[in-house]
Amino acid sequence: MGNQNKLTFSRRNFLRTSALASGGLLIGFNFLTSCSETATPPVDISKLNFKDFNAFIKIAENGYVTIFSPNPEIGQGVKTSMPMIIAEELDVPWKHVSVEQGVLDTNNFTRQVAGGSQSIRFGWDALRQTGATAKQMLINAAAIKWNVEPASCSASQGIIKNANGDELGYGDVVNEAAHLEVPENVTLKESKDYKIIGKDALNVDVEKIITGESLFGLDYKVDGMLYASVLRPPAFGQILESYDSSEAKALPGVVDVITIGEQARNYLNQDSFDPSAHWSVQLSKTDKVVVIGKTTWDVIKGKKALKAIWKDDSLIESTEMHNDELVKILDGKNLDTRREDGNIKKAFAEADKVLERTYESPFLPHNCMEPMNFFADVTNERVHLVGPIQTPEAAAKVVASLLNRNLEDIHVNMTRMGGGFGRRLYGDFVYEVAEISNKIKKPVKLISTREDDMSLGVYRPAISYRIAASIKDKKVTGYHLKEAAINSNMYGLIPHFFPAGAIKNYKVESGNYQSNITTGAWRAPYTNFLAFAEQSFFDELADLLETNPVQLRLDLLKNVKDGEDPNIQYSAKRMTDAIKLAVEKSNWGNTKEGIHQGFSAYYSHNTHVAEVVDITLQNGLPVVEKVTVAVDCGIVVNPTGAKNQIEGGVIDGIGHAMYGDFTFKNGKPQDVNFNTYRLIRMKETPVVNTYFVENDLSPTGLGEPGLPPAGGALANAIKAATGQIMTKQPFVKYLIKHKTGLKV
């Protein structure tokens, strides 16, 4: 990495320090380079309220280190991996580090977000600078004690040494270091010298998780807190006409029944409200009935006792209607062009052969293990919010507007999340509980049942792709991709991903149908289905070209020169390296009899992934035995956590490609719990072997990139085993439809 490790940066953009009243050093640092230059940390750690910086390092007199982490922990491991980066450059033993969750600071921070697999990528440089600067300050303090030059001193594992062999622990000099100037220049470690980065580390919350300590939003409670459950329209397109709450109010434990909705309508009806700029709001204008009670069970029973009448307010939609609308878009001529290279019409006119396929996917719910929930206590002094949310700053801003409060009045404490997958990017449940607490003037916890979670949205939109390729003289000369999606103005395809740049004549178009069914980000937005469509298409294209499907991709990648087209985000070299590693580790093409393989390679969220799926057939249906994954994500911070992320993404991708199906009839979701909605089961999960391309490049995301290639690799394995070309998800439903007599 050479000279990249010598960094110069401005103190004003980095950190502040102060001595602790109880002894020790407190460092408020620029986590993700997002701190305000004017922020000042509190002096006494006992009064630390996180309103001044979005993260702190506390070094105690015994040399132990506490790192306060500001980013939401959604299961992606940032609460472990981000502090590992700091501890590496600080050069303190990992066993001497403890990590605590920070809270939202809307004044000083700009990216306290869990989404897009970007936390490590954006934080890499700032986190290393943080640790290295803290270490240099400690070294400088020791040098003053010894009356020697700092350059003659070194630090390792929390111990500072000088040329004479003298030693001081970090705890011996923290009080002196607290009064020193922050150094302008620091030197970062070479990757070969890492002691923590690249080594396996357990999740910092693992003991609390397995022993059941309070970590998650559903765990949170305070004395005197009430519970709330919200009755919403049973179908999209309906609004509340009237309701009878007499039976619900008569139940023991039910405190009151109220309605909410007025504040949401006022907010949405503002002249300045722009849905495209407020994509995470997901509020509806209809009134909702809320049961307030003493326990979770009280409000669930109370809600079931409500008698509500709903009336149609807008179009009542169905899956059949959606399918028809998407076909109309693909057949139409009013699509928006996202990218166009060369002359696609000429390429197809001169082609020897043309391959065209249409791929279809359903809506999908997120199905987080922990249903949506949040706590609110609205008083004249402040609005106190606690719970699991991926976008705490956005939620705070909306609540401030909803309640007509100053943003400084909104305080958000983040809990660990029992799953998110994009669902908790949307703060509808936060806004509801804030409105409820504001109305009843008491602390209240909103809870959702599984049925609530699956019926109120937000869903992955249904999408169809039509892909066509032209072949001339056994070469791909043209590629035309069309997208038709529900609400795709929010979540469209990626026009500059592979094969952009690899095929001379290339065109990408998209269109959408605006639905009143709420849609949003679902794990690996854009690519979670597009990867299956394109990678399945390439396998079929390889058959027409009479070439190996892996070789086809490698040949196309040779046409791309990295950096030549600034719009192209993927690296041909890095993708090629990942493909070759996957081929090597999977024993591609040399498996034993009865094993059928499928290959896929995809770039998303700044990471290159290649996968090989091994399947067998039982009763005519595929059984996924093994998935081999090769990943180029740059430097791997925590191998254990990284493998967990990849494995989870692959299983998620396999499961939803095989079984995930979600339909609407008369505006109503047809599956509201797991007794009818099919998820992958424990006995169906394959062995996932993950391998990383070794390099010294800055790390990129891992929470999402493992999922998109999984469906494509599985589809190609099914084609290899049965000859059946998969064009629809879920695969099992498609196979059963085309092969009578098969059983799930």
Side-chain angles (χ1 to χ4, degrees):
M1 298 174 71
N3 293 332
Q4 295 180 21
N5 287 4
K6 186 73 171 179
L7 294 180
T8 301
F9 56 92
S10 171
R11 282 196 300 263
R12 68 183 183 180
N13 289 328
F14 184 59
L15 53 77
R16 307 291 189 275
T17 64
S18 64
L20 300 175
S22 58
L25 171 64
L26 175 67
I27 303 175
F29 62 88
N30 182 344
F31 212 107
L32 303 186
T33 63
S34 61
C35 284
S36 166
E37 296 179 3
T38 60
T40 55
V43 172
D44 190 345
I45 192 70
S46 67
K47 299 177 181 178
L48 189 62
N49 63 6
F50 300 95
K51 285 296 292 177
D52 300 306
F53 276 82
N54 70 336
F56 291 85
I57 301 174
K58 175 192 172 186
I59 304 175
E61 288 182 299
N62 63 2
Y64 279 67
V65 177
T66 300
I67 298 173
F68 296 87
S69 176
N71 273 35
E73 174 55 61
I74 197 174
Q76 80 281 43
V78 295
K79 193 176 175 183
T80 302
S81 55
M82 295 177 93
M84 285 176 70
I85 298 169
I86 297 171
E88 180 64 74
E89 294 291 349
L90 180 59
D91 223 321
V92 64
W94 180 242
K95 64 183 179 181
H96 291 176
V97 175
S98 62
V99 181
E100 296 186 19
Q101 179 68 57
V103 301
L104 176 68
D105 179 351
T106 57
N107 292 322
N108 298 309
F109 318 131
T110 59
R111 201 185 186 278
Q112 281 185 276
V113 174
S117 300
Q118 298 297 303
S119 295
I120 293 297
R121 176 171 173 255
F122 278 113
W124 176 246
D125 289 334
L127 296 170
R128 289 190 298 157
Q129 290 171 4
T130 296
T133 302
K135 181 174 77 171
Q136 190 60 53
M137 291 174 68
L138 294 163
I139 289 174
N140 292 349
I144 292 172
K145 270 195 170 186
W146 287 322
N147 194 26
V148 299
E149 289 296 319
S152 67
C153 304
S154 62
S156 177
Q157 296 295 286
I159 302 295
I160 306 165
K161 297 181 181 180
N162 63 22
N164 297 322
D166 300 320
E167 294 186 1
L168 287 169
Y170 284 178
D172 298 326
V173 294
V174 290
N175 294 318
E176 292 82 355
H179 301 286
L180 298 181
E181 287 289 319
V182 178
E184 291 282 356
N185 299 300
V186 296
T187 300
L188 302 182
K189 286 183 176 182
E190 299 280 350
S191 59
K192 62 181 177 59
D193 298 322
Y194 288 160
K195 303 182 184 73
I196 296 174
I197 292 175
K199 305 298 189 297
D200 292 332
L202 289 177
N203 188 303
V204 294
D205 285 334
V206 67
E207 185 173 346
K208 293 179 181 178
I209 291 171
I210 63 177
T211 57
E213 289 191 36
S214 180
L215 282 172
F216 300 91
L218 280 174
D219 299 328
Y220 186 80
K221 62 179 64 177
V222 298
D223 291 341
M225 179 183 80
L226 295 174
Y227 290 83
S229 185
V230 179
L231 180 67
R232 304 175 182 86
F236 288 92
Q238 291 185 325
I239 60 174
L240 181 67
E241 182 173 17
S242 64
Y243 72 97
D244 179 357
S245 62
S246 56
E247 290 187 20
K249 286 183 176 180
L251 292 173
V254 172
V255 175
D256 200 358
V257 176
I258 64 172
T259 60
I260 59 171
E262 181 180 355
Q263 288 168 311
R265 283 193 296 277
N266 292 339
Y267 176 79
L268 294 171
N269 288 333
Q270 296 176 91
D271 292 338
S272 60
F273 181 76
D274 178 6
S276 64
H278 298 81
W279 55 269
S280 67
V281 172
Q282 294 292 7
L283 278 170
S284 66
K285 294 182 180 181
T286 185
D287 283 334
K288 302 162 190 172
V289 188
V290 184
V291 178
I292 311 295
K294 296 180 180 179
T295 69
T296 298
W297 186 235
D298 290 335
V299 296
I300 290 175
K301 288 193 299 180
K303 187 170 68 173
K304 290 181 178 179
L306 289 172
K307 292 182 172 60
I309 298 175
W310 308 89
K311 65 179 181 180
D312 295 349
D313 179 61
S314 57
L315 184 64
I316 304 298
E317 303 175 13
S318 66
T319 294
E320 291 75 15
M321 189 204 77
H322 294 144
N323 293 340
D324 291 342
E325 292 295 334
L326 294 180
V327 170
K328 290 177 185 177
I329 292 170
L330 292 176
D331 289 340
K333 297 181 180 180
N334 296 319
L335 295 167
D336 295 324
T337 299
R338 304 297 184 182
R339 178 175 175 132
E340 186 169 12
D341 302 337
N343 190 331
I344 197 77
K345 288 185 178 179
K346 183 179 179 182
F348 278 86
E350 297 177 350
D352 298 328
K353 295 179 182 178
V354 171
L355 174 65
E356 182 178 282
R357 286 279 182 255
T358 299
Y359 301 87
E360 302 172 42
S361 68
F363 286 88
L364 287 179
H366 293 81
N367 284 330
C368 306
M369 182 173 289
E370 177 192 25
M372 300 305 106
N373 66 91
F374 226 80
F375 168 87
D377 186 10
V378 179
T379 65
N380 292 334
E381 290 74 31
R382 69 170 185 168
V383 177
H384 186 50
L385 303 169
V386 184
I389 181 71
Q390 291 178 244
T391 49
E393 183 174 354
K397 289 179 178 178
V398 175
V399 169
S401 183
L402 274 173
L403 304 186
N404 196 25
R405 300 288 291 262
N406 294 324
L407 189 57
E408 291 72 23
D409 294 342
I410 315 300
H411 300 259
V412 182
N413 287 18
M414 292 171 284
T415 63
R416 191 177 180 94
M417 297 177 231
F421 314 114
R423 175 61 183 93
R424 286 187 163 97
L425 291 170
Y426 307 94
D428 46 299
F429 47 94
V430 183
Y431 317 140
E432 288 178 346
V433 75
E435 190 172 351
I436 294 167
S437 181
N438 187 58
K439 195 162 188 175
I440 67 175
K441 302 302 179 184
K442 292 180 180 179
V444 61
K445 173 83 159 290
L446 182 149
I447 57 96
S448 300
T449 63
R450 179 62 57 195
E451 289 83 0
D452 292 333
D453 240 14
M454 290 184 69
S455 60
L456 65 88
V458 176
Y459 307 109
R460 184 188 82 169
I463 299 179
S464 292
Y465 291 108
R466 183 169 293 166
I467 309 175
S470 58
I471 299 172
K472 179 71 173 178
D473 299 328
K474 292 192 174 183
K475 291 185 178 180
V476 182
T477 58
Y479 189 89
H480 191 184
L481 170 63
K482 293 181 180 181
E483 176 194 71
I486 305 297
N487 303 332
S488 69
N489 62 321
M490 296 175 64
Y491 300 98
L493 48 77
I494 305 292
H496 306 301
F497 284 9
F498 182 81
I503 299 171
K504 184 177 180 180
N505 303 296
Y506 176 84
K507 187 174 183 178
V508 176
E509 297 178 285
S510 67
N512 69 85
Y513 170 77
Q514 288 300 304
S515 170
N516 56 30
I517 294 174
T518 53
T519 61
W522 190 91
R523 191 175 189 175
Y526 315 100
T527 60
N528 51 58
F529 179 70
L530 175 59
F532 149 68
E534 290 196 303
Q535 292 299 304
S536 179
F537 185 82
F538 273 109
D539 249 51
E540 197 175 351
L541 197 57
D543 292 341
L544 281 179
L545 294 169
E546 298 178 344
T547 187
N548 184 286
V550 172
Q551 191 60 49
L552 172 61
R553 292 165 174 85
L554 292 175
D555 289 343
L556 288 172
L557 286 167
K558 290 177 183 177
N559 298 331
V560 182
K561 294 182 180 179
D562 288 344
E564 190 174 79
D565 183 341
N567 290 319
I568 292 177
Q569 300 178 37
Y570 69 91
S571 163
K573 180 185 182 306
R574 297 180 73 173
M575 182 59 80
T576 297
D577 290 344
I579 289 173
K580 290 181 177 179
L581 182 60
V583 167
E584 174 195 344
K585 297 298 184 180
S586 66
N587 198 28
W588 171 257
N590 294 296
T591 57
K592 63 182 181 180
E593 186 176 352
I595 298 290
H596 309 276
Q597 292 185 310
F599 176 83
S600 177
Y602 209 75
Y603 165 90
S604 67
H605 298 84
N606 310 104
T607 295
H608 301 76
V609 181
E611 298 182 11
V612 175
V613 167
D614 290 10
I615 69 168
T616 57
L617 292 178
Q618 293 183 15
N619 298 321
L621 288 177
V623 174
V624 184
E625 304 287 351
K626 183 178 71 171
V627 183
T628 304
V629 189
V631 183
D632 184 346
C633 61
I635 293 171
V636 180
V637 177
N638 180 7
T640 292
K643 289 178 181 178
N644 288 342
Q645 288 299 298
I646 292 296
E647 182 173 336
V650 168
I651 293 172
D652 204 7
I654 294 289
H656 282 92
M658 285 279 278
Y659 308 110
D661 195 18
F662 199 73
T663 60
F664 293 87
K665 184 176 182 180
N666 297 325
K668 292 184 179 182
Q670 295 302 287
D671 299 290
V672 295
N673 213 320
F674 297 141
N675 61 321
T676 57
Y677 183 80
R678 180 76 155 86
L679 289 169
I680 192 169
R681 294 165 181 152
M682 289 292 290
K683 65 179 182 180
E684 295 163 341
T685 58
V687 173
V688 181
N689 296 324
T690 303
Y691 303 90
F692 295 99
V693 176
E694 295 182 6
N695 56 47
D696 286 337
L697 299 173
S698 297
T700 55
L702 282 175
E704 293 164 292
L707 185 149
L714 174 56
N716 293 333
I718 293 172
K719 180 171 73 70
T722 67
Q724 182 71 50
I725 296 169
M726 308 305 300
T727 60
K728 293 184 180 181
Q729 290 185 357
F731 296 158
V732 167
K733 181 178 179 180
Y734 187 72
L735 287 169
I736 290 175
K737 182 178 179 180
H738 288 81
K739 291 181 179 292
T740 58
L742 296 180
K743 296 181 180 180
V744 179

